[in-house]
Each structure stands twice: as C-alpha cells, then as structure tokens.
Amino acid sequence: MKQRIAISGAGLVGSLLSIYLARRGYSVTVFERRGDMRKKGAEGGRSINLALSNRGLRALEEVGLAGEIKKVAIPMLGRMMHDLQGNLTFQAYGKEGQFINSVSRSALNTVLMNAAEQLGVNFQFEKRITGVDLEKTTLSVQDSKPEAFDLIIGADGAFSVVRGALQITDRFNFSQDYIDHGYKELQVPPGLGGAFQLEQHALHIWPRESYMMIALPNPDGSFTCTLFFPFEGPASFQKLNTNTEVVTFFEQMFPDATRLMPTLLEDFNTNPTSSLVTVRCYPWVKNKTLLIGDAAHAIVPFFGQGMNAGFEDCRILNQLLHYHRDNWDHVLPEFQQARKKNADAIAQLALDNFIEMRDLVADADFLLRKKIEAKLHELYPSKWIPLYSMVTFYDEMSYAHAYDIGQKQKRIMDEVMKTPNLESTWLHLNLEEIVSKLESS
C-alpha cells in the first residue's frame, strides 16, 4: 500500500514538493485554506513578482517543467538604477548569458498545480487545518475528524499552522523579526500596442537611501512595481494620508515612474500595505512531521531567493530520498541538518542586500568597488566570483559556503577601498595579489 503524505499549503513549495513525491509513488493530499486560484484568481496586491534563478530552475528541470515556465518568464540581465532626475545606470548581474527571470507567482503556481494533479495529487481547497497531532501524525481540518497520515509536511508559509504545533513542544527554538519597512504593490501598464514603457530585460530600482521602489516586467508589457517604505517616521506610510500627499511624494521622489502610473492612487489606496518578516526556527522535524520552505525559514525578498531556496529544499529532500531509498528515518534528520545552516545564510544575505539595493547601488564608491570585483572575476573567473553570482548562478555551491566566501571578499575589498586616489589608480592595482589573499584566508 502506498504511503500517504499530507502537505499543508498549495503554494509554490507545497505544489512542487507534491510533484516530487507523487513521482516517487506516494499518495499525496495537499490541504489549502484558500480557494483554488485557478478558479477564483490570485490575491492581488500581495505578491511581489518573483525572480527565478538557477537554483529554482534546476528543481523545475528535474520535474520537467522548466521549459514551460521559461515561456512565460522574462529574462532580466541586470539592475537598472533610476536617480531623482530619471538618469539611468545599468549593472549587469553576471557575465554575458547570465540572467534571472521575472515570473508571475500565480502563473507559476498554476503550472505546478496542474502538473501535480496530472500525477494524481489530491488538492483540497478551502480546507483550514485546525489541529496537528505530532504523536499520532494526524491532521484535523475544520470540523472533520482527525485523519491519519504516514507523514505530514508543513509548506504553509511564514505563519505556518504546522509550525505552530511544533512551537508548543519542548526545546523548539523560534524567532520572527520584522523589518521597519513594509511594501505596497503598484503598476506600470503596457504602452501602446503592449509596448514596454521601461527597459524590458532589467530589474528596475529607484534607490532612495532609507527606502526604494523596484519594478519587474510582465509578459503583457506591464511592470509590477513594489514600494519598500518605512511604516513610521519622517518619510513613511504613516505620513501619506491624503491623495495629495501621495501624488506629491511620488512626483518628487520617483518622477520618471510616476508619469507612467495612471492608476497610482487607485493602486496605493486599494492594495494592502504588507509587512516583511524573517522566520528562524529549529528543529524542523518532530516524529513524522516536517517543515519546509517559508514555514521553516521565511526571508525578506531582497536577494530574490525565497522561492529559489524553497525549491532547492524540495530538490535536496528528493535527493536524500533517492540516496536513502525512501527511508524517512534517515532522510528527515539529515535534511534539517543540511538545510538549516543554508537557510540562516540566505536569510542574512537577504537582509544585507536590502541595504545594498536601497543605499549603495547609486553610491560612487560602491560602483567602483563593483567595477574592481568585476575585473577580478574577468581575469580570475574561477578564483574570484562575486557574491551575487555565487548565490544566483552557482547552484552547486551552498548558500552557507557562498556567505563565508563573501565575508572574506568583503574584508579584502574593505582594505582595497582604502587605497589613496583609488578612482584614478584602480587599474594599476596588483589584482593577482588581491586574489591570492582570498585563497590564503
């Protein structure tokens, strides 16, 4: 008889994991508190467009869906910075041919759910889980009787019900940390004939020191914009209370974008102001119950790795199942031990990258630093790899290893940046010596 597995959450990670497990021959039921987005439509105003990169693509390739997703994805070759005057500066993400992909959360989720159903996965929508018995491995859904499974997996996001059951067990460590900023989703519509009104193959950033706005392209020619802004303070959501205040703020701080946003006020007033949280917890396993994805390690979106990290979770779990011949007693402890340090690393990297994106990408010293690092990578491609590239394009390298190397690179470059008259002399730096410091550290 097939082992029965229950997954809480029909989001991206839950749906992908159900595909992996169904392909291995398990009987999988997915419980989702919301309705079927394929019938009701996705929740608007709450989903930051996703940046799908190599780690996520690798998992999709393993289940045969990468090609289908690429058809609705838009390659983004780098960051396009917009200053207050509307002047543009472009920073490539990596070498020629390296890019990340802008994808719609709902389009990707739909592809995953359809593929899962074709494999026999049973999706139960509008089914709110009300109880998890970690000793008996049973789930209670709304008013129904507890149902027993061989395994329960919580893939139900940052505010996981399944994790809630683990939180009241002994020696369970948990923290959630909100940043001072929230986000609000806005839109730049397509131009005439569906034309893109901004550069199509870029992630656009309006860095404004303590806050920023970004925009990602969609296949219909529109851009999904997200304002990351403090909840309180002199420049904050708290201060934007009237239509006049909203329009004045956007015209002053994002003049080139505001001209392209005819529904600015409607979007600002209608879409919710949402918070951003980092969740850390451990252990992820209790008896036959497992946490995965955001339920185990929710992160802020500033490295574009939340979904990619969750997809990598699924791939590594499947890899361990293959290696241990589906012996979950070996797989579960090994999975959490392997993934915890990587989850902590990408959580910190995401927080660090927020500072870089909002404060530093328009800074002259920062741009010079990046120019030097790009030269090091060009001359010594296997010895000096920029941190962003390690995380985004080198999917064989763990997040934890990339973080450690990035910290060493930072210490070395901090010293390099102290060089007198560096702006005019950097081409004469002893780059081989700089690289050797990384190898010896």
Side-chain angles (χ1 to χ4, degrees):
M1 183 176 167
K2 287 184 181 180
Q3 279 192 294
R4 298 178 69 239
I5 297 179
I7 297 176
S8 175
L12 298 171
V13 172
S15 297
L16 176 62
L17 183 58
S18 74
I19 294 171
Y20 270 114
L21 295 173
R23 283 161 60 103
R24 300 193 70 84
Y26 293 101
S27 172
V28 184
T29 303
V30 181
F31 296 94
E32 172 56 55
R33 65 178 176 82
R34 294 168 296 191
D36 188 343
M37 67 164 61
R38 294 168 296 179
K39 298 174 183 175
K40 304 179 91 174
E43 277 185 56
R46 295 191 68 88
S47 59
I48 300 168
N49 257 43
L50 300 168
L52 177 64
S53 56
N54 288 28
R55 294 173 195 270
L57 275 171
R58 187 173 174 190
L60 292 171
E61 282 165 0
E62 283 192 351
V63 297
L65 295 175
E68 190 173 349
I69 297 304
K70 285 177 182 177
K71 291 176 187 174
V72 295
I74 297 179
M76 297 184 293
L77 308 179
R79 299 166 169 169
M80 184 71 80
M81 270 72 67
H82 298 243
D83 71 11
L84 273 169
Q85 289 71 44
N87 298 314
L88 303 178
T89 307
F90 182 75
Q91 285 178 6
Y93 279 132
K95 297 181 293 189
E96 188 173 348
Q98 290 180 327
F99 54 85
I100 60 178
N101 300 274
S102 175
V103 294
S104 154
R105 179 187 295 272
S106 57
L108 178 51
N109 216 152
T110 296
V111 168
L112 291 171
M113 287 192 290
N114 288 342
E117 284 184 335
Q118 288 172 11
L119 290 168
V121 173
N122 177 20
F123 283 88
Q124 297 282 322
F125 294 102
E126 298 181 5
K127 299 289 186 182
R128 184 183 293 274
I129 293 172
T130 55
V132 181
D133 189 320
L134 302 172
E135 302 300 323
K136 298 177 180 176
T137 320
T138 61
L139 281 182
S140 299
V141 180
Q142 288 166 330
D143 300 323
S144 62
K145 292 180 181 178
E147 187 176 356
F149 292 89
D150 295 294
L151 193 79
I152 295 170
I153 301 177
D156 45 350
F159 305 102
S160 166
V161 173
V162 178
R163 190 185 65 236
L166 271 73
Q167 281 175 233
I168 57 174
T169 62
D170 189 38
R171 297 176 64 209
F172 184 84
N173 294 309
F174 168 76
S175 70
Q176 61 179 30
D177 300 291
Y178 289 91
I179 65 171
D180 295 334
H181 293 64
Y183 71 90
K184 190 177 284 284
E185 194 174 282
L186 308 165
Q187 288 289 321
V188 168
L192 290 173
F196 289 89
Q197 298 197 72
L198 298 165
E199 166 55 44
Q200 174 184 354
H201 295 294
L203 189 156
H204 295 262
I205 307 178
W206 290 259
R208 298 296 182 259
E209 294 188 356
S210 65
Y211 56 90
M212 68 175 181
M213 186 168 73
I214 67 171
L216 278 74
N218 297 306
D220 66 356
S222 68
F223 285 81
T224 301
C225 305
T226 309
L227 173 66
F228 296 100
F229 204 42
F231 280 105
E232 290 128 15
S236 67
F237 285 115
Q238 184 186 47
K239 297 293 184 182
L240 300 181
N241 296 307
T242 68
N243 287 348
T244 301
E245 288 170 347
V246 171
V247 171
T248 300
F249 167 72
F250 273 85
E251 286 179 343
Q252 287 177 348
M253 303 313 299
F254 312 111
D256 58 335
T258 303
R259 288 192 290 271
L260 305 176
M261 302 169 81
T263 60
L264 170 62
L265 282 175
E266 181 185 342
D267 294 340
F268 194 92
N269 292 326
T270 304
N271 290 338
T273 303
S274 303
S275 56
L276 295 160
V277 67
T278 299
V279 169
R280 297 179 179 88
C281 68
Y282 200 78
W284 298 353
V285 173
K286 180 74 172 179
N287 300 330
K288 293 292 186 180
T289 297
L290 165 70
L291 301 177
I292 196 167
D294 282 359
H297 51 76
I299 63 175
V300 294
F302 304 115
F303 219 117
Q305 286 295 308
M307 169 191 62
N308 292 289
F311 281 8
E312 190 172 72
D313 281 351
C314 298
R315 184 179 67 79
I316 298 298
L317 182 64
N318 184 65
Q319 195 177 72
L320 289 170
L321 284 166
H322 183 73
Y323 179 77
H324 290 294
R325 299 186 179 184
D326 292 79
N327 185 330
W328 287 93
D329 290 337
H330 292 311
V331 168
L332 292 174
E334 194 169 321
F335 173 77
Q336 67 172 354
Q337 188 174 6
R339 293 301 290 164
K340 171 60 174 169
K341 60 181 180 290
N342 290 304
D344 288 344
I346 193 57
Q348 189 57 51
L349 286 165
L351 289 165
D352 293 346
N353 211 45
F354 182 34
I355 297 168
E356 176 174 315
M357 290 174 76
R358 78 179 193 216
D359 296 3
L360 300 178
V361 288
D363 178 79
D365 283 349
F366 175 80
L367 295 175
L368 177 58
R369 186 184 189 116
K370 289 295 179 187
K371 196 182 292 184
I372 296 168
E373 289 201 72
K375 194 68 177 176
L376 288 166
H377 184 47
E378 179 189 331
L379 295 175
Y380 306 96
S382 63
K383 294 180 179 179
W384 189 287
I385 305 167
L387 175 60
Y388 186 89
S389 293
M390 286 189 286
V391 170
T392 307
F393 303 122
Y394 288 70
D395 51 85
E396 289 286 353
M397 184 183 294
S398 72
Y399 287 126
H401 188 46
Y403 179 81
D404 289 343
I405 295 173
Q407 291 299 297
K408 293 175 185 176
Q409 290 176 332
K410 182 179 182 301
R411 289 192 289 271
I412 293 166
M413 286 302 299
D414 285 347
E415 289 302 312
V416 170
M417 295 306 291
K418 295 175 184 175
T419 306
N421 306 314
L422 184 60
E423 190 172 346
S424 57
T425 63
W426 74 271
L427 285 168
H428 304 293
L429 288 168
N430 187 336
L431 300 179
E432 187 174 357
E433 183 183 336
I434 294 172
V435 169
S436 70
K437 289 179 181 177
L438 182 61
E439 292 178 304
S440 62
S441 62

